[in-house]
Amino acid sequence: ENGIRNTNENSQMINEKEILSVEGEEQAKKLSENDELKNLDIIWSSSYTRAKATAKYIAYENDLPFNLDNNLSERKLGNLKEFMKDKSTRDPSQEQLLDRTFRTSDGESAEQTRERMNKFFDKILKEYEGKRIAVISHGGSIKFFLLNWCTVNENVKLVYNKNTILN
C-alpha cells in the first residue's frame, strides 16, 4: 500500500487485517525459498494478517507451525490528524526517529516500540539459544528495534554504529 492507513482506531484495525496483495503473496512465497530460511527450528510472527500470510510459506517450507506474538506487531501510529497538526511535514516514521519519545495521544513512540521488540527478542533468544529462528514483523517496528545498534544521520536514515556495546 502507498501511504499510511492507520490514521484512527478504525483504520488501525483495518491495518491489522489487511491481506497481502497478489504481488505480496508471490514475494512471500519466493522469500520462503531462500536458503537462509531453511532448516529452521522455530518461527515467530506478528499477529497481523500480512505477517501470518508470509509466515505460512516459511512454515510450509520447514514443515513447522508458526507462533504468534503481539510484541512483533507494527507500531501503533494512532491519530495522524493529531500528528499533522503538531509536527512538520516529515513522515511520521522520520519524526519518530528524530524524537524517539514522540507519539500521538493514542499511538506508540519509537522508544515504546523498541522496548516491546527488545522484550520479545530477550525472551526468545534465551529460550531458543542455539536454535535457528525466523521472525516475521513489520518495517516500522524493525526500524525502531534497529535503534539498539544504529544512529540516525542528517538524512534521517539509520546508520550502523559499530561502536555499540551489546548487553
Side-chain angles (χ1 to χ4, degrees):
E1 287 295 318
N2 292 326
I4 297 167
R5 296 176 54 93
N6 55 345
T7 58
N8 60 43
E9 195 60 38
N10 290 337
S11 58
Q12 174 69 27
M13 291 169 54
I14 291 168
N15 192 21
E16 293 171 15
K17 295 177 180 173
E18 182 124 26
I19 63 171
L20 286 176
S21 65
V22 172
E23 182 182 351
E25 288 280 346
E26 291 169 0
Q27 288 174 344
K29 184 169 183 354
K30 185 172 178 152
L31 175 70
S32 73
E33 296 165 357
N34 187 314
D35 285 342
E36 282 136 14
L37 293 173
K38 305 279 184 189
N39 302 311
L40 297 173
D41 295 305
I42 188 116
I43 302 166
W44 284 92
S45 175
S46 156
S47 59
Y48 281 31
T49 302
R50 296 181 314 276
K52 292 188 295 188
T54 300
K56 77 179 177 190
Y57 289 107
I58 298 168
Y60 178 79
E61 288 291 328
N62 285 276
D63 195 26
L64 288 172
F66 61 89
N67 302 281
L68 301 177
D69 194 301
N70 287 331
N71 285 315
L72 295 172
S73 296
E74 182 61 282
R75 81 208 185 280
K76 184 177 178 186
L77 287 172
N79 186 339
L80 287 182
K81 291 176 186 165
E82 181 182 325
F83 170 83
M84 297 304 183
K85 180 174 60 175
D86 294 338
K87 290 291 180 182
S88 72
T89 57
R90 274 193 285 265
D91 171 283
S93 183
Q94 288 182 321
E95 196 65 50
Q96 288 186 305
L97 284 171
L98 293 170
D99 177 359
R100 295 184 194 181
T101 62
F102 173 77
R103 67 183 191 91
T104 59
S105 57
D106 59 343
E108 187 176 35
S109 72
E111 189 58 25
Q112 289 171 315
T113 306
R114 188 188 68 78
E115 288 174 6
R116 171 171 54 81
M117 295 288 282
N118 283 350
K119 177 180 164 185
F120 169 80
F121 279 100
D122 286 348
K123 175 187 162 204
I124 68 154
L125 290 174
K126 285 177 187 158
E127 190 172 336
Y128 301 104
E129 186 174 352
K131 302 289 184 184
R132 289 184 45 87
I133 306 165
V135 175
I136 296 92
S137 187
H138 305 273
S141 294
I142 293 168
K143 184 185 311 181
F144 297 147
F145 177 63
L146 290 173
L147 289 171
N148 287 307
W149 305 279
C150 296
T151 56
V152 180
N153 71 12
E154 62 278 353
N155 296 320
V156 197
K157 302 289 183 194
L158 293 179
V159 177
Y160 176 66
N161 179 1
K162 57 185 158 195
N163 298 321
T164 302
I165 298 172
L166 302 178
N167 293 333

